[in-house]
Amino acid sequence: MASVRFTVTPTKAEDLPGLSDTSPDISSRSGARVRFGSKESVNRSDPLSEASGGATPGGGTETPDHSSLEQGDGNSKISSVYINNTHGVDDDDFYDRNLALFEEEMDTRPKVSSLLSRLANYTNLTQGAKEHEEAEIIGEKKKASKSPQMGTFMGVYLPCLQNIFGVILFLRLTWVVGTAGVLQGLCIVFICCCCTMLTAISMSAIATNGVVPAGGAYFMISRSLGPEFGGAVGLCFYLGTTFAGALYILGAIEILLMYMAPKAAIFESKEPEGEGAAMLNNMRVYGSICLLLMSLLVFVGVRYVNKLASIFLACVIVSIISIYIGALVSAFKPPNFPVCLLGNRTISGHEVDDDHCAKTILLPNAEPTESADSNFTFINENSTVGPTFDPSATPALVDKTTSIWEHFCSGPELNASCDKYFISNNFSEIEGIPGLASGIISENLWSSYLSKGDVVEKVSLAASSDATPASTHHPYVFADITTSFTLLVGIFFPSVTGIMAGSNRSGDLKDAQRSIPIGTIFAILTTSIVYLSNVVLFGACIDGVVLRDKFGDSVKGNLVVGTLAWPSPWVIVIGSFFSTCGAGLQSLTGAPRLLQAIAKDNIIPFLRVFGHGKANGEPTWALLLTALIAELGILIASLDLVAPILTMFFLMCYLFVNLACALQTLLRTPNWRPRFSYYHWSLSFLGMTICLALMFISSWYYAIVAMVIAGMIYKYIEYHGAEKEWGDGIRGLSLSAARYALLRLEEGPPHTKNWRPQVLVLLKLDEDAHVKSPRLLTFASQLKAGKGLTIVGTVVSGNYLQSYGEALAAEQTLKILMDKERVKGFCQCIVAQKPREGISHMIQSSGLGGMKPNTVVMGWPHAWRQSEDPQAWKTFINTVRVTTAAHLALLVPKNISLFPSNNEPCTEGYIDVWWIVHDGGMLMLLPFLLRQHKVWRKCGMRIFTVAQMEDNSIQMKKDLATFLYHLRIEAEVEVVEMHDSDISAYTYERTLMMEQRSQMLRQMRLSKSDREREAQLVKDRNSMLRLTSIGSDDDEDTDGGERDRPASGGGSSEHHRRVQMTWTKEKTSQYRATHSGCSTPEGFRDMLSIRPDHSNVRRMHTAIKLNEVIVNKSHDARLVLLNMPGPPKNPEGDENYMEFLEVLTEGLERVLLVRGGGSEVITIYS
């Protein structure tokens, strides 16, 4: 069978030239040569067998099955036809002859061709359109996705336009311009557009720094700032998108009930005061129904939403175009929308029947009538007069009151009592849309903020000075909320959101890294120009009283922006209704998928259920939660109250997009290589600052609530979420901060005031890799109380190459124990031939720079007297010597199993400190640190010191009390006098027993070592091996035994001695006879005649006397802290040293032996 190999050199599919003869080393069993003359000869739709068959001479050679190219998922580009050929290689030729050096590592380090093959077949899933549509078609198999073909215009520009233009443009922008004025309105729009533009620049940099899969903004933020920030901001973005859906639905219902079908209202109020509440209830009912229908539509199928999207976008574009045409037409022929004023107060057009904006009208009457009331003023300009009116026929006409009269007077009679403002002011009628050439913009330049209940007034008109406060029973146009600049910012900002639409569709784009920046930025420029020009047009074409009339009451309930539209207001009404419905559907489609992306990342445990859905991946549970949250927004029922909520969530999201870009730029992460190069960290920081300012400008309390929600989510993910490593910028920031801090710490030694125990805890593992004394770590956690550096270390005996897996298991064991004990720190596992060497290496190498351990915590060798193997206590003494040489403090808890756990607080008792020698103040500081923990918090502190006969004990007590006062440590003080006394017989006896036991054990270990040597030599007589097994200290024990005898001339050369000769029976007997004192009964008799050494007797005397005093005073103490004497300089006395420590601590339940590091750790100065 032929082995076909393709060589690919081009980097782009578009640049592939015609392939030359690419198979020079085809197997000799087949003479077939495969040649592709041009890239047209291989199509993705044509099987390769046709091409290869045509290239085979005579057709006699079949193309092998394994050399045919699979199409994979169908969306690989042309280059993948040539790259994806790893399956076409024979088993015998699996490892290339040119890569034989690397064949053993192929499983972990694949060939470049394999890597390129996987990249060529990579499919980037979108946020949820195509694959869901295809899976929903019943009876149709899921088709292979086609290559993404959408360009910048269709894939990014238009979706961004559709998402940015929304309900605020049609329902609130005119009101914002009328209230804030043209100048401040331009300022509001400009600030919001600057915020989104700077965010788009940052987003473009992030989006072009690699592939952005499903999740859009959430994916970018989480992969840039880490799972904590990503989860918090992702949920904020989800809540913002969900509330945006509620906002759009409320806008659609407002258009329906206010301007399309006012009679469809279910709740109506006869009293003016109740109209607002009735309207809110109508919004709640219709909004809930609309939300239910939209949710069902999204649940049934995304394909319906996507098919309607183009229709909704067309509605938006037509509506905006009609505004511009209407503004231009108004310069020549202004539309007729008269506004009725009483003085300078605006009258609701709903109350002006038959366009009679007057107090009375003249109507013909056959009956004789009285003359007109002297107070009646005929408004010649605007009052309505009958078509047959003739001035000469005045006696035949009579004054009749209009419908407005009855709202201000007690009755329809001309002599009825009326409102003072009504009497002293006349009605007038103005054009609501004066037109572009009217110069009305000069009146609309300045702001006119109103309080709730104020009447909308035309400031340029004069009114009577005796104006009385307006009553809600009068048919004026009132302000429904108190307005301010900050409020208007919060209400307007949602109209500039939606800039993430392009990044969410990156999977549909032919070249996402080029299309996303260009499409998004041009969409923002387009919408910004539309908003800014509309602010100017509204101010130049529409009268101020109409602009400030939010619901168009002054123009008989017409949509204010619709009055400017050409050819009819219905163009805007219908267009805005469908566009808001479409935007609501898009929000209800996108939000569940965003939640699903967060849930599938598994960083927030309680959201995992929302990662599941229908068989085709449709997020059913996420859609249900989205509908419930949107219902909360609909129950608020007010567009002006919902808008600031989603403003906060979107601003929070944009803030962190800018932070992510600035952080990555400043840290100069090696992976930060965006294709979009027109960004700078200062622009990102400016955008971040604007976002933060806008949050507090629009609504400071909403901003605090949004931050608290994000902070709670952050801490929840930090403590309970799954650990993720995404190469985020926050981790990079932590590394940079750590490096900076470590370099600062290196500048000089720490001051005494800054000294705190940086602990290295040495733990021992048993044969099953379980920690022997876990309570040691408990004690360390109580001592640290979560502060400072903690390193937990252990030593694994063996060779690193063979014991690497065992070391990883040991490290994992330590991590689990640290989590259980809630110890924040690091674990370190060292593999060494001998434990004492490993411990020495760990003490020397642990930590980094100024964060090196200064205190070692290790356990007491349990039952060291009964142990035949002296490894434990010899290692213990060696560690004491190493810590002393390294100038580290040493803490040795004795009887550690009796120490309280973290769940066993001491309710009473004392911590006793026996301050015998001063070693830097460790004995004073440790009880204070322990009492910071809940276990020891209720314990008192007693300090004992020892006075000799020549000391003044009374003065010592005063001085000690003063010293503790300056140290700010509360403790009871007691000076214990120790009188000189003769050495007792008991002391002699203990010393003698100690020395006899030491010598006996030495001889027994020596004879045991000899037996091991003989057994080894029987196994392999001619080998030159070490006398003991790897990881044992028996060879050093033997050396120690040799050091005990007087040194001979060749004694120095026997240190760390290896076997250099073949042992015989005679030589072994001779060696035993000369080196052993216990091989014969005479040897034992000589040992029994030993007289104790005088220095040992003195040390034993001290230990016994101190132990008597300590047991007498501290037998009921919860913990006893005691100076630990140093080991002897001569290694011959190691066993005696252990005996002294044992005697010193006899009869005490819990003892902490403390040895200072040689530096002061506590000071009386501030």
Side-chain angles (χ1 to χ4, degrees):
M1 297 176 67
S3 174
V4 182
R5 180 177 290 106
F6 299 116
T7 304
V8 179
T9 53
T11 57
K12 291 184 179 179
E14 293 82 356
D15 301 330
L16 279 174
L19 294 179
S20 61
D21 186 6
T22 56
S23 55
D25 54 348
I26 291 179
S27 172
S28 59
R29 284 178 290 174
S30 172
R33 303 188 68 183
V34 180
R35 180 190 301 271
F36 294 118
S38 65
K39 62 182 178 181
E40 283 81 7
S41 62
V42 178
N43 274 328
R44 284 170 293 166
S45 58
D46 298 334
L48 187 63
S49 58
E50 295 178 12
S52 59
T56 304
T61 304
E62 289 186 4
T63 302
D65 293 339
H66 58 264
S67 65
S68 62
L69 299 178
E70 299 177 2
Q71 288 197 6
D73 57 0
N75 70 340
S76 55
K77 296 184 180 180
I78 295 176
S79 58
S80 66
V81 175
Y82 307 106
I83 295 174
N84 187 17
N85 61 0
T86 55
H87 298 291
V89 184
D90 286 334
D91 294 338
D92 297 337
D93 198 30
F94 183 76
Y95 299 119
D96 197 296
R97 295 188 184 92
N98 297 324
L99 300 176
L101 281 175
F102 305 95
E103 61 186 15
E104 292 185 358
E105 297 179 315
M106 284 294 182
D107 53 343
T108 57
R109 302 178 184 185
K111 290 193 293 185
V112 175
S113 59
S114 304
L115 176 67
L116 293 177
S117 172
R118 287 200 297 271
L119 291 177
N121 288 328
Y122 177 76
T123 302
N124 181 21
L125 296 178
T126 66
Q127 198 180 358
K130 288 186 176 179
E131 65 275 11
H132 298 312
E133 291 179 16
E134 294 169 358
E136 284 165 358
I137 301 174
I138 300 174
E140 182 179 348
K141 296 181 179 179
K142 185 171 182 177
K143 300 176 182 178
S145 304
K146 296 180 181 178
S147 298
Q149 295 296 330
M150 296 184 74
T152 304
F153 185 77
M154 293 298 296
V156 180
Y157 182 76
L158 290 182
C160 282
L161 282 187
Q162 183 180 4
N163 279 268
I164 294 173
F165 286 134
V167 63
I168 302 295
L169 170 64
F170 303 114
L171 293 184
R172 293 292 183 270
L173 186 58
T174 53
W175 174 69
V176 169
V177 174
T179 305
V182 173
L183 296 180
Q184 290 190 22
L186 288 172
C187 183
I188 292 173
V189 174
F190 183 74
I191 291 174
C192 295
C193 292
C194 280
C195 176
T196 54
M197 177 59 76
L198 294 172
T199 304
I201 292 173
S202 300
M203 184 199 72
S204 298
I206 299 174
T208 57
N209 191 48
V211 181
V212 180
Y218 160 71
F219 184 91
M220 289 190 293
I221 296 171
S222 61
R223 268 56 177 181
S224 298
L225 294 180
E228 293 87 1
F229 277 111
V233 180
L235 277 185
C236 285
F237 189 48
Y238 162 73
L239 291 174
T241 308
T242 304
F243 274 102
L247 179 83
Y248 293 132
I249 292 173
L250 287 175
I253 300 304
E254 182 176 310
I255 294 171
L256 177 68
L257 294 180
M258 287 281 189
Y259 312 113
M260 295 179 70
K263 295 182 179 180
I266 300 173
F267 300 96
E268 294 181 356
S269 175
K270 297 179 180 179
E271 297 295 327
E273 293 86 351
E275 290 180 357
M279 185 63 193
L280 292 180
N281 288 330
N282 287 321
M283 299 277 283
R284 292 184 180 107
V285 173
Y286 279 98
S288 301
I289 295 172
C290 185
L291 174 63
L292 180 62
L293 294 176
M294 286 186 176
S295 301
L296 288 175
L297 180 59
V298 173
F299 176 77
V300 168
V302 183
R303 62 182 184 275
Y304 301 117
V305 179
N306 291 330
K307 287 176 181 177
L308 292 172
S310 56
I311 300 174
F312 297 143
L313 179 61
C315 292
V316 174
I317 295 174
V318 169
S319 300
I320 293 173
I321 292 174
S322 71
I323 293 174
Y324 283 103
I325 296 175
L328 294 175
V329 170
S330 69
F332 310 101
K333 184 182 178 183
N336 182 30
F337 286 98
V339 177
C340 185
L341 300 176
L342 176 61
N344 61 357
R345 294 180 178 178
T346 310
I347 300 296
S348 173
H350 298 292
E351 308 299 335
V352 182
D353 295 338
D354 301 325
D355 296 332
H356 295 154
C357 180
K359 295 180 180 178
T360 61
I361 56 175
L362 294 174
L363 293 176
N365 195 345
E367 297 179 2
T369 58
E370 299 178 2
S371 62
D373 188 274
S374 61
N375 289 331
F376 170 65
T377 303
F378 179 78
I379 301 174
N380 189 30
E381 181 183 355
N382 292 320
S383 61
T384 303
V385 183
T388 58
F389 174 73
D390 184 0
S392 61
T394 303
L397 299 177
V398 65
D399 290 325
K400 293 287 186 180
T401 58
T402 60
S403 59
I404 302 178
W405 178 285
E406 299 179 7
H407 290 283
F408 293 95
C409 301
S410 58
E413 300 81 12
L414 291 175
N415 59 355
S417 60
C418 298
D419 179 69
K420 289 183 179 180
Y421 186 85
F422 178 79
I423 295 172
S424 58
N425 288 277
N426 296 324
F427 282 98
S428 62
E429 204 169 60
I430 61 171
E431 283 295 329
I433 314 295
L436 192 61
S438 63
I440 194 69
I441 191 171
S442 58
E443 293 183 15
N444 295 332
L445 282 177
W446 313 110
S447 61
S448 179
Y449 295 110
L450 302 174
S451 298
K452 184 177 182 179
D454 288 352
V455 179
V456 177
E457 298 177 346
K458 187 173 177 62
V459 182
S460 59
L461 284 182
S464 173
S465 57
D466 60 346
T468 56
S471 169
T472 54
H473 294 282
H474 297 155
Y476 295 127
V477 177
F478 294 97
D480 62 334
I481 58 172
T482 301
T483 53
S484 63
F485 180 83
T486 59
L487 176 77
L488 296 182
V489 170
I491 291 176
F492 175 76
F493 188 81
S495 64
V496 296
T497 60
I499 62 174
M500 302 290 185
S503 64
N504 291 345
R505 296 168 178 261
S506 59
D508 293 334
L509 303 174
K510 190 188 307 180
D511 186 358
Q513 298 193 354
R514 178 179 175 274
S515 298
I516 289 176
I518 295 175
T520 304
I521 290 174
F522 272 94
I524 292 175
L525 285 175
T526 304
T527 54
S528 301
I529 292 170
V530 169
Y531 283 134
L532 291 171
S533 60
N534 276 344
V535 169
V536 176
L537 287 178
F538 293 158
C541 297
I542 306 175
D543 195 275
V545 292
V546 180
L547 288 175
R548 287 187 289 278
D549 181 7
K550 183 188 293 185
F551 301 110
D553 291 329
S554 60
V555 286
K556 296 191 174 180
N558 279 298
L559 182 62
V560 174
V561 68
T563 59
L564 186 62
W566 181 89
S568 167
W570 283 100
V571 176
I572 293 285
V573 172
I574 296 175
S576 60
F577 176 77
F578 283 111
S579 68
T580 49
C581 288
L585 280 173
Q586 292 289 345
S587 297
L588 291 179
T589 304
R593 282 164 180 76
L594 179 60
L595 181 62
Q596 188 180 40
I598 299 172
K600 284 186 175 180
D601 266 343
N602 200 23
I603 58 172
I604 305 178
F606 68 84
L607 289 181
R608 288 173 187 161
V609 65
F610 298 108
H612 307 293
K614 292 195 290 187
N616 61 346
E618 197 70 20
T620 309
W621 292 107
L623 176 62
L624 180 62
L625 180 65
T626 303
L628 291 176
I629 297 175
E631 178 64 20
L632 295 178
I634 286 173
L635 291 179
I636 296 174
S638 173
L639 202 71
D640 304 318
L641 295 180
V642 175
I645 297 176
L646 66 104
T647 294
M648 289 306 115
F649 289 130
F650 277 119
L651 279 172
M652 180 86 70
C653 178
Y654 296 166
L655 184 149
F656 281 100
V657 169
N658 286 298
L659 175 62
C661 180
L663 203 60
Q664 299 276 31
T665 308
L666 289 176
L667 290 176
R668 296 175 183 174
T669 312
N671 191 52
W672 180 247
R673 302 184 301 276
R675 290 185 180 275
F676 180 77
S677 56
Y678 304 102
Y679 69 94
H680 193 264
W681 64 266
S682 58
L683 293 177
S684 299
F685 266 113
L686 179 61
M688 187 174 65
T689 306
I690 293 176
C691 288
L692 191 62
L694 285 177
M695 288 177 68
F696 283 93
I697 284 174
S698 57
S699 178
W700 63 268
Y701 45 89
Y702 277 159
I704 292 175
V705 170
M707 288 182 170
V708 168
I709 291 174
M712 291 170 62
I713 299 170
Y714 178 94
K715 298 307 286 185
Y716 177 82
I717 297 174
E718 186 179 25
Y719 285 109
H720 297 287
E723 293 183 4
K724 299 282 184 181
E725 175 51 55
W726 288 331
D728 50 87
I730 292 297
R731 186 172 179 83
L733 179 63
S734 301
L735 289 173
S736 297
R739 171 184 168 276
Y740 174 77
L742 287 172
L743 290 176
R744 287 291 304 272
L745 288 174
E746 276 289 282
E747 292 177 1
H751 193 273
T752 305
K753 291 186 293 185
N754 294 328
W755 193 95
R756 63 174 64 207
Q758 314 285 9
V759 177
L760 170 61
V761 184
L762 300 177
L763 297 179
K764 190 173 183 180
L765 304 181
D766 57 17
E767 293 79 5
D768 299 327
H770 295 149
V771 178
K772 283 191 174 181
S773 301
R775 197 60 63 88
L776 203 63
L777 195 57
T778 306
F779 172 74
S781 69
Q782 295 169 3
L783 177 67
K784 298 295 296 177
K787 302 294 188 295
L789 173 70
T790 303
I791 299 177
V792 181
T794 189
V795 176
V796 174
S797 298
N799 185 292
Y800 183 72
L801 296 178
Q802 281 81 35
S803 304
Y804 176 71
E806 188 179 346
L808 287 180
E811 191 170 332
Q812 192 62 31
T813 301
L814 295 183
K815 286 182 179 178
I816 293 172
L817 183 62
M818 290 173 70
D819 290 339
K820 180 181 177 183
E821 297 294 338
R822 295 184 179 179
V823 174
K824 299 290 184 181
F826 312 96
C827 58
Q828 185 173 5
C829 183
I830 286 183
V831 180
Q833 297 286 359
K834 299 171 186 174
R836 67 177 67 177
E837 292 178 1
I839 292 174
S840 176
H841 295 160
M842 187 178 297
I843 291 175
Q844 294 176 61
S845 62
S846 291
L848 182 65
M851 290 294 286
K852 283 183 173 291
N854 55 25
T855 305
V856 176
V857 178
M858 65 181 300
W860 176 262
H862 180 65
W864 64 275
R865 286 194 185 115
Q866 289 78 25
S867 174
E868 289 187 5
D869 183 11
Q871 179 183 356
W873 63 267
K874 274 187 170 292
T875 303
F876 173 81
I877 296 177
N878 184 71
T879 306
V880 176
R881 287 196 173 98
V882 171
T883 54
T884 304
H887 300 288
L888 302 180
L890 178 64
L891 306 180
V892 181
K894 196 165 179 282
N895 301 328
I896 186 64
S897 59
L898 301 178
F899 276 59
S901 68
N902 288 328
N903 299 321
E904 300 171 353
C906 300
T907 56
E908 57 183 359
Y910 289 96
I911 298 176
D912 285 358
V913 176
W914 283 86
W915 192 20
I916 300 169
V917 294
H918 180 65
D919 56 356
M922 280 287 288
L923 283 170
M924 305 293 166
L925 187 61
L926 289 175
F928 171 78
L929 295 175
L930 284 173
R931 290 174 64 195
Q932 305 303 307
H933 197 273
K934 62 180 182 179
V935 171
W936 304 97
R937 188 167 294 145
K938 294 185 179 180
C939 290
M941 182 175 169
R942 295 188 300 196
I943 296 183
F944 299 90
T945 188
V946 177
Q948 303 299 327
M949 286 297 295
E950 62 272 14
D951 296 328
N952 185 343
S953 58
I954 298 175
Q955 188 61 39
M956 279 183 66
K957 186 171 183 178
K958 290 181 179 179
D959 293 343
L960 181 56
T962 305
F963 180 61
L964 291 176
Y965 175 78
H966 288 307
L967 287 177
R968 289 91 63 202
I969 293 178
E970 296 181 2
E972 299 178 13
V973 177
E974 186 171 344
V975 177
V976 179
E977 296 181 354
M978 292 187 66
H979 302 285
D980 289 338
S981 60
D982 295 332
I983 297 175
S984 64
Y986 173 71
T987 303
Y988 274 107
E989 185 180 351
R990 287 293 300 262
T991 310
L992 183 60
M993 289 173 58
M994 175 185 71
E995 292 190 355
Q996 288 177 348
R997 179 183 176 278
S998 298
Q999 188 164 351
M1000 184 183 298
L1001 289 174
R1002 194 177 301 123
Q1003 303 304 336
M1004 289 175 64
R1005 283 198 303 275
L1006 186 61
S1007 60
K1008 175 175 177 285
S1009 178
D1010 292 339
R1011 289 196 302 273
E1012 289 178 355
R1013 289 192 189 100
E1014 291 174 2
Q1016 181 67 27
L1017 290 170
V1018 168
K1019 292 180 181 177
D1020 189 1
R1021 185 177 298 274
N1022 298 321
S1023 64
M1024 297 176 63
L1025 301 172
R1026 291 181 65 87
L1027 297 179
T1028 56
S1029 61
I1030 292 177
S1032 171
D1033 289 335
D1034 287 344
D1035 56 335
E1036 295 194 10
D1037 300 340
T1038 306
D1039 297 339
E1042 291 176 2
R1043 293 189 207 103
D1044 289 342
R1045 56 181 166 76
S1048 59
S1052 60
S1053 63
E1054 293 193 16
H1055 184 59
H1056 295 298
R1057 172 178 37 77
R1058 294 176 182 270
V1059 179
Q1060 301 293 340
M1061 62 181 182
T1062 302
W1063 285 75
T1064 62
K1065 185 176 181 181
E1066 293 77 11
K1067 288 181 180 179
T1068 303
S1069 302
Q1070 183 182 1
Y1071 183 85
R1072 283 188 178 181
T1074 56
H1075 290 79
S1076 177
C1078 61
S1079 300
T1080 61
E1082 290 78 8
F1084 280 105
R1085 290 194 205 98
D1086 293 340
M1087 190 178 65
L1088 293 174
S1089 63
I1090 291 175
R1091 296 188 63 186
D1093 183 72
H1094 182 62
S1095 62
N1096 287 342
V1097 172
R1098 286 190 297 105
R1099 290 187 177 92
M1100 183 63 75
H1101 177 68
T1102 302
I1104 291 175
K1105 290 288 291 182
L1106 276 176
N1107 178 257
E1108 288 177 357
V1109 175
I1110 294 172
V1111 171
N1112 182 37
K1113 296 287 186 179
S1114 302
H1115 62 276
D1116 59 343
R1118 295 289 182 181
L1119 178 64
V1120 176
L1121 278 72
L1122 184 62
N1123 283 115
M1124 181 179 182
K1129 295 180 180 179
N1130 185 0
E1132 293 179 358
D1134 285 354
E1135 296 172 47
N1136 299 341
Y1137 172 70
M1138 294 295 295
E1139 190 70 33
F1140 293 146
L1141 293 180
E1142 196 71 63
V1143 171
L1144 186 63
T1145 56
E1146 270 182 351
L1148 298 174
E1149 189 178 29
R1150 302 187 189 99
V1151 182
L1152 180 62
L1153 296 171
V1154 181
R1155 184 163 176 76
S1159 59
E1160 292 291 331
V1161 301
I1162 196 167
T1163 178
I1164 63 173
Y1165 300 104
S1166 61

